Amino acid sequence: MLDTVLKCSYKSKKMNYSYKLVVTSPRSFPPCSDDVGAQNGATISPHDSDRRKRMRSDEVLAHKTAANTLLRIQQATHQLQKAISEVQKLHGLGSVPSWNLCQNTAADPCRRTSSLIQCKMYGRDDEKNSIIEHMRGDKPDSVTVLPIVGIGGIGKTALAQIIYTEPTVKSMFDYRIWIWVSSNFDEVRLTMEMLDFVSQEKCVGISSLAKLQEILVTHVASKRTLLILDDVWDDIDDSRWNKLLAPLRSDNAKGNVIIVTTRKLCVAKRIGTAPPFELDSLQNEDFWLLFKTCAFGDENYKEHPCLTIIGQQIAKNLHGNPLAAQTAGMLLREQLTIDHWSN
């Protein structure tokens, strides 16, 4: 048996993931329809026999190509790990644990997000509706903090974007603010970015947090505000967290809501005013549609049966992780041919 295994683990109270890409030998797959007919004693003409042989050959090639593609992903990941380890050694930072790349790239500018939806989101309707229902709660004198937690690439930011741009949500708030936090939880920077959404004034030269918050309060007082803090990493202490939220808790606050996305369950539990929304893998049907969109450019793709066989095998072993679908799809979509996928 051929086994190509790519693992990434994440553990929390309700989540214990272990992602594995496993490709077995072609013998382990169910036979095609023509094989079944032969096994049941049906008479096969020479023409049908030749066609059956060609189909079997194509199917075996498809399974072998799936194995080769997964091996390429594993090799690329290994090379990336080695490169990062070398850079860290040069800077005296020591080695990087396998598949712990997310913590070392948290401040990468390429990871910056915005409120704009980049692509169609598959699934997550239940989570979206539940979060929006929490936002409707009648709590005019308090701030509601709703954490979304899950492993990297599971769709936290995409879910927050869908909620942020939902028409019903827009109608609930006077202001909507989107901020990418990452590993730099700087109260001054975050407050200045909040001001960019609610004020036309430029606070050039003002570095005092107290002064910036005084200005912010004048704009958000008596206004209902939605604040998205995306990709929060720091294990923020209560003092810094309360300091950042002070303007949204002013005497005239009107049911402000904060949505926080984070990979850290401990952060989600401490700052949330409701239980964290823990994102699990996508359901099989939703994930297959996403995978086809990433690999073929069309969720309804049916043109090449052999590529569909390969895609189904790879998708099954990506365990519903959207980022994994995008990464594999990027490699596969370069050319939709058996030759390209084989080489």
Side-chain angles (χ1 to χ4, degrees):
M1 178 181 292
L2 170 64
D3 293 308
T4 303
V5 182
L6 181 60
K7 301 180 179 179
C8 177
S9 298
Y10 172 90
K11 296 181 180 179
S12 73
K13 177 181 178 182
K14 293 178 64 178
M15 294 181 287
N16 185 358
Y17 298 104
S18 180
Y19 290 106
K20 299 181 180 180
L21 305 184
V22 181
V23 179
T24 57
S25 67
R27 294 190 302 273
S28 66
F29 291 94
C32 64
S33 58
D34 286 341
D35 293 333
V36 174
Q39 293 168 5
N40 291 335
T43 301
I44 301 176
S45 68
H47 176 74
D48 289 339
S49 178
D50 291 341
R51 182 170 62 87
R52 180 170 58 82
K53 289 178 180 178
R54 286 195 301 271
M55 291 181 65
R56 173 177 285 182
S57 177
D58 287 345
E59 186 172 306
V60 171
L61 176 60
H63 295 323
K64 289 181 178 179
T65 302
N68 291 336
T69 301
L70 291 174
L71 182 59
R72 288 173 60 198
I73 295 173
Q74 182 189 39
Q75 291 171 341
T77 302
H78 178 66
Q79 292 300 321
L80 178 60
Q81 180 66 53
K82 287 175 61 178
I84 291 181
S85 296
E86 290 300 320
V87 172
Q88 292 244 329
K89 288 178 182 178
L90 288 175
H91 290 275
L93 299 176
S95 61
V96 184
S98 178
W99 275 99
N100 197 27
L101 307 183
C102 51
Q103 292 185 359
N104 301 292
T105 58
D108 183 356
C110 295
R111 292 174 47 81
R112 286 176 181 160
T113 65
S114 78
S115 62
L116 299 181
I117 299 172
Q118 298 181 1
C119 57
K120 179 179 177 179
M121 186 178 73
Y122 293 88
R124 306 300 187 206
D125 288 338
D126 290 343
E127 293 91 338
K128 181 191 76 172
N129 294 334
S130 180
I131 291 173
I132 292 177
E133 190 61 32
H134 275 75
M135 297 166 71
R136 298 180 190 276
D138 185 18
K139 299 179 180 179
D141 298 326
S142 63
V143 174
T144 299
V145 181
L146 305 175
I148 302 174
V149 65
I151 64 172
I154 203 66
K156 301 181 298 296
T157 296
L159 177 58
Q161 289 169 334
I162 290 293
I163 294 170
Y164 186 90
T165 56
E166 180 76 18
T168 56
V169 171
K170 290 182 180 181
S171 67
M172 295 181 195
F173 298 93
D174 300 293
Y175 292 125
R176 292 174 303 123
I177 302 171
W178 180 285
I179 298 178
W180 175 69
V181 180
S182 188
S183 60
N184 180 24
F185 191 87
D186 181 342
E187 297 93 323
V188 172
R189 175 183 73 87
L190 298 177
T191 302
M192 291 183 71
E193 291 195 29
M194 290 185 208
L195 281 166
D196 288 340
F197 281 86
V198 302
S199 173
Q200 299 298 322
E201 305 171 21
K202 297 297 180 182
C203 301
V204 179
I206 301 178
S207 58
S208 166
L209 176 63
K211 181 60 178 177
L212 290 170
Q213 289 194 327
E214 286 179 6
I215 298 172
L216 180 59
V217 167
T218 64
H219 291 283
V220 299
S222 300
K223 303 289 186 181
R224 194 175 189 214
T225 302
L226 169 63
L227 171 62
I228 307 287
L229 296 177
D230 186 40
D231 201 19
V232 175
W233 279 87
D234 274 356
D235 195 10
I236 317 154
D237 62 50
D238 291 342
S239 175
R240 296 179 65 194
W241 178 249
N242 291 328
K243 189 185 303 181
L244 177 68
L245 267 57
L248 299 178
R249 289 172 169 163
S250 62
D251 293 339
N252 295 319
K254 292 186 62 178
N256 298 320
V257 175
I258 301 173
I259 294 178
V260 177
T261 72
T262 180
R263 304 183 192 188
K264 294 189 173 185
L265 187 60
C266 60
V267 172
K269 286 182 174 180
R270 193 175 67 257
I271 66 178
T273 60
F277 294 90
E278 300 187 39
L279 298 193
D280 205 343
S281 304
L282 287 178
Q283 297 297 316
N284 290 339
E285 292 183 4
D286 293 324
F287 188 72
W288 175 233
L289 292 175
L290 170 62
F291 182 87
K292 286 196 291 185
T293 300
C294 296
F296 302 124
D298 181 3
E299 66 180 41
N300 298 311
Y301 182 87
K302 298 178 180 177
E303 295 179 14
H304 203 311
C306 288
L307 294 185
T308 299
I309 291 173
I310 299 170
Q312 287 173 337
Q313 178 61 23
I314 295 175
K316 181 177 68 175
N317 290 288
L318 294 178
H319 292 263
N321 186 291
L323 182 59
Q326 294 170 7
T327 303
M330 180 177 61
L331 292 174
L332 301 174
R333 194 174 175 181
E334 293 175 2
Q335 295 181 38
L336 299 181
T337 65
I338 290 293
D339 286 343
H340 171 69
W341 286 29
S342 299
N343 297 323

